[in-house]
């Protein structure tokens, strides 16, 4: 079905593998279309509770495909061009996304990893937003996501200097949940994915992710209304009953709610749409 990625679902986890190892998984138009489609596919499939994204070979993603040389960023003609890169971002889908960054990720490759809810980075990898050293502005919502992840000053440092950093530097900056040897990256990411998929209500997790996105730019009084609204939507659901019962019976919960069938019709409180 896909040319530049691999997609498989196992134990409620969708594994997306960027599959251009000969080009260090450099971002191409086809890769972007397929990656976006894979996110939408995972979001629509109730069998999927968590998404893990990794790269084939020794790199995660070497950024934009520079094989065109000087023509890579030669002109901007408008039209359908978008700096978003993916038509569906990781933070837009309802399932948690874990970036298993198995090797170097630079430029757009790192921007797309930052969109994920969690990042596990390889100690041996090199990371950086190199765009200013290529004469262009960074992309994929990085000016929104990065300051929220690591703070304004550190985001300034990375985006304005375009310098590469090591895995240990990335860890010190808060750019990753975990930094481990490259050989362990996928295993660590999958362990986290399995914990979420088995222990946590997929519906409650999806609702919490959406609440976090809405709350990111909302003032405190609106966050209070949103939190109350989403809590009210989650109470009384099949998973809410099962979660309490499983806890009392000291067993693993058997989640049955459907994210698609049981998703709240209103994502914000009535009268609070603005």
């Amino acid at each position: 079905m896909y040319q530049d990625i691999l997609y498989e679902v196992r134990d409620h986890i969708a594994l997306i593998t960027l599959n251009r190892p000969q080009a260090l998984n450099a971002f191409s138009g086809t890769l972007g279309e397929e990656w976006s489609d894979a996110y939408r596919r995972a979001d629509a499939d109730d069998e999927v509770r968590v998404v893990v994204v990794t790269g084939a070979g020794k790199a995660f993603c070497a950024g934009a495909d520079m094989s065109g040389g000087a023509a890579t960023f030669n002109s901007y003609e408008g039209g359908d061009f978008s700096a978003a890169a993916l038509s569906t971002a990781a933070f837009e889908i309802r399932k948690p996304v874990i970036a298993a960054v198995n090797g170097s990720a630079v430029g757009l490759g790192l921007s797309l990893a930052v969109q994920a809810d969690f990042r596990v980075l390889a100690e041996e990898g090199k990371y950086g937003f190199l765009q200013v050293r290529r004469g262009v502005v960074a992309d994929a919502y990085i000016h929104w996501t990065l300051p929220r992840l690591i703070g304004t000053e550190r985001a300034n440092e990375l985006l304005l200097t375009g310098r590469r950093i090591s895995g240990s530097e990335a860890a010190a900056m808060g750019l990753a949940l975990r930094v481990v040897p490259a050989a362990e990256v996928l295993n660590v990411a999958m362990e986290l994915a399995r914990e979420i998929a088995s222990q946590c209500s997929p519906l409650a997790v999806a609702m919490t992710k959406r609440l976090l996105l809405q709350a990111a730019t909302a003032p405190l009084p609106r966050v209070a209304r949103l939190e109350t609204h989403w809590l009210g939507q989650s109470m009384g659901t099949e998973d809410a009953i099962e979660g309490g019962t499983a806890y009392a019976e000291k067993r693993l919960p058997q989640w049955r709610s459907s994210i698609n069938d049981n998703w709240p019709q209103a994502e914000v409180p009535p009268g609070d749409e603005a």
Side-chain angles (χ1 to χ4, degrees):
M1 178 178 179
Y2 295 122
Q3 173 182 315
D4 285 352
I5 71 167
L6 303 174
Y7 183 93
E8 63 175 305
V9 178
R10 188 188 313 161
D11 299 328
H12 301 295
I13 301 166
L15 177 62
I16 301 171
T17 304
L18 312 182
N19 194 34
R20 302 186 71 216
Q22 73 286 355
L24 300 178
N25 301 316
F27 189 90
S28 66
T30 299
L31 178 64
E33 292 172 4
E34 294 180 351
W35 194 343
S36 301
D37 183 79
Y39 275 162
R40 292 189 292 269
R41 181 177 172 185
D43 189 66
D45 184 359
D46 274 328
E47 181 65 19
V48 174
R49 297 178 181 176
V50 186
V51 179
V52 175
V53 185
T54 194
K58 62 181 181 180
F60 177 75
C61 180
D65 191 337
M66 301 285 290
S67 60
T72 303
F73 305 121
N74 192 40
S75 64
Y76 165 50
E77 301 297 338
D80 293 333
F81 171 81
S82 171
L86 300 183
S87 57
T88 299
F91 51 75
E92 292 178 307
I93 72 169
R94 294 168 293 181
K95 318 295 173 69
V97 178
I98 304 171
V101 185
N102 54 297
S104 295
V106 297
L108 177 57
L110 187 54
S111 294
L112 293 173
V114 168
Q115 289 184 2
D117 301 292
F118 307 97
R119 280 151 303 284
V120 180
L121 268 56
E123 290 177 352
E124 304 92 324
K126 295 298 181 183
Y127 309 98
F129 303 97
L130 313 183
Q131 287 92 330
V132 291
R133 298 194 180 203
R134 304 292 181 261
V136 294
V137 169
D139 41 12
Y141 306 106
I142 197 63
H143 299 88
W144 186 83
T145 56
L146 190 62
R148 286 166 173 77
L149 179 65
I150 64 173
T152 300
E153 191 164 22
R154 285 179 172 170
N156 289 346
E157 178 187 5
L158 293 181
L159 291 173
L160 298 179
T161 68
R163 71 179 183 87
R164 287 182 175 85
I165 60 173
S166 66
S168 59
E169 289 177 292
M173 286 184 168
L175 201 56
L177 177 69
R178 296 278 302 278
V179 177
V180 299
E184 299 177 18
V185 166
L186 185 57
N187 287 337
V188 170
M190 292 298 287
E191 182 180 354
L192 174 60
R194 284 189 290 269
E195 178 183 359
I196 296 171
S198 63
Q199 300 282 349
C200 306
S201 159
L203 180 60
V205 166
M207 293 168 72
T208 299
K209 178 172 176 175
R210 187 57 54 87
L211 174 58
L212 284 166
L213 180 63
Q214 292 176 347
T217 56
L220 183 58
R222 185 157 193 259
V223 172
R225 294 193 298 273
L226 288 168
E227 195 171 82
T228 299
H229 175 72
W230 283 100
L231 175 59
Q233 297 291 320
S234 68
M235 294 172 68
T237 63
E238 193 173 13
D239 277 4
I241 296 169
E242 169 63 9
T245 302
Y247 175 77
E249 296 176 354
K250 296 181 172 58
R251 61 171 173 81
L252 200 63
Q254 301 298 311
W255 307 118
R256 297 182 180 87
S257 293
S258 162
I259 291 177
N260 292 295
D261 294 342
N262 303 122
W263 190 252
Q265 292 185 352
E267 293 197 10
V268 295
D272 201 29
E273 291 81 3

